[in-house]
Amino acid sequence: MTPPDCPNPFSRNISICQHQSCQRHGSLAVLKAFEQTRLPPGVTVNGTGCLGQCSSGPTVKVNPDNVWYCRVTQADVPVIVEQHLENGEPVDALLNPRIHFKFSF
Ligand code: FES
């Protein structure tokens, strides 16, 4: 790829559901917390419509990682920023178990 076609390896988008169920559980505060936080270069934030995980909201999705967080509160934002966005390690305790299955035998 030539440089203009090469995606920024650090670019990410954070989508935060702002539909009814998630809003009832505080998703607007989560969106504002991300917007008011100094994010790494290339990270964008936006509110979205329903992401289909209404029973476990507020739902936050990080792309292109395809990482889904559930029941996120504004207090969770610093750890998501530091651990995931700055250091590349998703926050296990906040992963949506309906999407990120964990099996142990
Ligand atoms: S209302 Fe947020 S995922 Fe459906």
Side-chain angles (χ1 to χ4, degrees):
M1 281 186 194
T2 58
D5 299 327
C6 182
N8 179 346
F10 301 108
S11 69
R12 288 189 173 102
N13 174 257
I14 306 167
S15 297
I16 303 148
C17 176
Q18 296 299 305
H19 198 61
Q20 297 170 346
S21 180
C22 286
Q23 275 222 333
R24 279 196 299 274
H25 292 93
S27 66
L28 182 58
V30 176
L31 174 62
K32 287 185 175 181
F34 273 109
E35 289 176 338
Q36 293 168 358
T37 299
R38 177 185 281 258
L39 298 172
V43 176
T44 57
V45 175
N46 64 280
T48 69
C50 179
L51 294 170
Q53 301 298 319
C54 315
S55 64
S56 53
T59 298
V60 172
K61 184 180 182 192
V62 180
N63 276 326
D65 309 41
N66 197 29
V67 169
W68 294 70
Y69 292 118
C70 65
R71 296 189 174 87
V72 177
T73 70
Q74 62 190 99
D76 297 322
V77 170
V79 71
I80 292 172
V81 170
E82 182 179 341
Q83 186 175 319
H84 186 160
L85 302 178
E86 293 178 357
N87 295 310
E89 290 292 328
V91 182
D92 281 350
L94 296 173
L95 294 177
N96 186 327
R98 296 172 62 189
I99 296 171
H100 300 285
F101 303 108
K102 288 190 176 180
F103 295 102
S104 60
F105 297 98

